[in-house]
Amino acid sequence: MQLEVSQLVGRLARDVELVLFRVVQESLTNIRRHSGRPRAKLRLNRNSHLTLEISDLGRAFSGTKQTGKKEARFEVGIGIPNTQERVKLIGGRLDIDSSDYGTTVRVTIPLGKNSREKLRILVADDHELVRRGALGVLHSRRDRRVVGQAANGREAVEKTVRLKPDVAIMDTSMPELDGVEVVHQIREAVPGTKVLVLTSAHWMPGLTVTC
């Protein structure tokens, strides 16, 4: 299988991930049974919405409704309608495009303010006990998910750039890069990530954080 997953995707709400898993499972089963090709392509992307596409270049599936004057041939059994209902329940849409050139199953899920997606958080602190305490508090909230941890300033910047969390929670005093430099680099490289600074030390001159 050819797999393309955008780095912006990250972890999603459990019910969304479960529905996407069922879509992939049902689609790959149909491809194996009907396409005549041993390979498939899966693409997962995220911007204002989440898009999942599973496609092949084999022959079209049989037994579906007509598309214009040409008969579409996707096999509609019990699995497809059930999967479509699951997608609708999380506010998404499932479309099937099947022709002589292959079949594409496409799921689109809005990720606006009303999305069920959890707030993605990165925790950065050089003290493991502090990180564990923060993780315990955050894991108790169903609307939030910790996507990464960092034990020093350089790691905090690298993981924020790679994971692109919604919020980065960090200490101002960490080894390798201090809090001021960490915040400046994150704000420049990942302007969409909000930075929340937590510290018991005196306030650092010149440090301005926008959350």
Side-chain angles (χ1 to χ4, degrees):
M1 177 191 295
Q2 182 179 347
L3 183 64
E4 295 182 10
V5 179
S6 169
Q7 292 184 350
L8 298 177
V9 174
R11 294 303 300 268
L12 304 166
R14 186 175 183 275
D15 55 347
V16 174
E17 291 183 346
L18 181 59
V19 169
L20 294 180
F21 172 78
R22 294 296 298 170
V23 171
V24 172
Q25 185 181 50
E26 184 69 26
S27 300
L28 293 181
T29 298
N30 274 303
I31 288 172
R32 179 177 58 83
R33 290 177 178 174
H34 307 287
S35 72
R37 292 292 181 93
R39 300 187 64 184
K41 180 177 181 179
L42 189 153
R43 177 183 298 171
L44 187 60
N45 191 31
R46 168 181 172 167
N47 38 60
S48 61
H49 54 273
L50 186 76
T51 303
L52 168 68
E53 292 185 352
I54 307 102
S55 57
D56 69 88
L57 298 177
R59 59 176 177 268
F61 299 159
S62 62
T64 58
K65 61 185 179 179
Q66 292 185 346
T67 302
K69 295 182 180 180
K70 191 172 185 178
E71 182 186 2
R73 301 174 184 174
F74 192 87
E75 182 69 32
V76 177
I78 296 176
I80 292 299
N82 284 348
T83 304
Q84 288 177 321
E85 287 302 317
R86 288 171 180 254
V87 173
K88 286 181 181 179
L89 286 175
I90 60 172
R93 174 178 174 177
L94 187 150
D95 296 302
I96 300 168
D97 181 13
S98 185
S99 70
D100 292 337
Y101 301 101
T103 298
T104 297
V105 176
R106 182 180 298 103
V107 174
T108 306
I109 302 173
L111 295 179
K113 294 182 179 179
N114 296 324
S115 172
R116 298 184 186 182
E117 184 185 12
K118 295 183 179 182
L119 188 69
R120 302 172 64 253
I121 299 174
L122 180 136
V123 177
D125 197 292
D126 57 320
H127 295 95
E128 184 178 358
L129 186 61
V130 174
R131 293 201 307 273
R132 287 184 178 181
L135 292 176
V137 173
L138 294 170
H139 283 157
S140 67
R141 298 292 300 270
R142 298 181 60 184
D143 59 340
R144 298 173 189 180
R145 177 183 294 276
V146 177
V147 297
Q149 302 180 51
N152 60 64
R154 192 174 305 280
E155 186 180 15
V157 174
E158 292 174 353
K159 288 194 173 181
T160 301
V161 172
R162 177 164 56 88
L163 299 173
K164 294 179 173 58
D166 300 309
V167 179
I169 300 176
M170 62 186 61
D171 189 10
T172 55
S173 179
M174 289 187 291
E176 298 199 27
L177 282 178
D178 63 31
V180 174
E181 184 62 25
V182 170
V183 171
H184 288 169
Q185 289 192 24
I186 287 177
R187 292 182 64 186
E188 181 176 349
V190 197
T193 295
K194 303 297 182 181
V195 179
L196 177 61
V197 174
L198 302 178
T199 181
S200 59
H202 63 278
W203 186 251
M204 301 174 66
L207 177 62
T208 302
V209 180
T210 302
C211 297

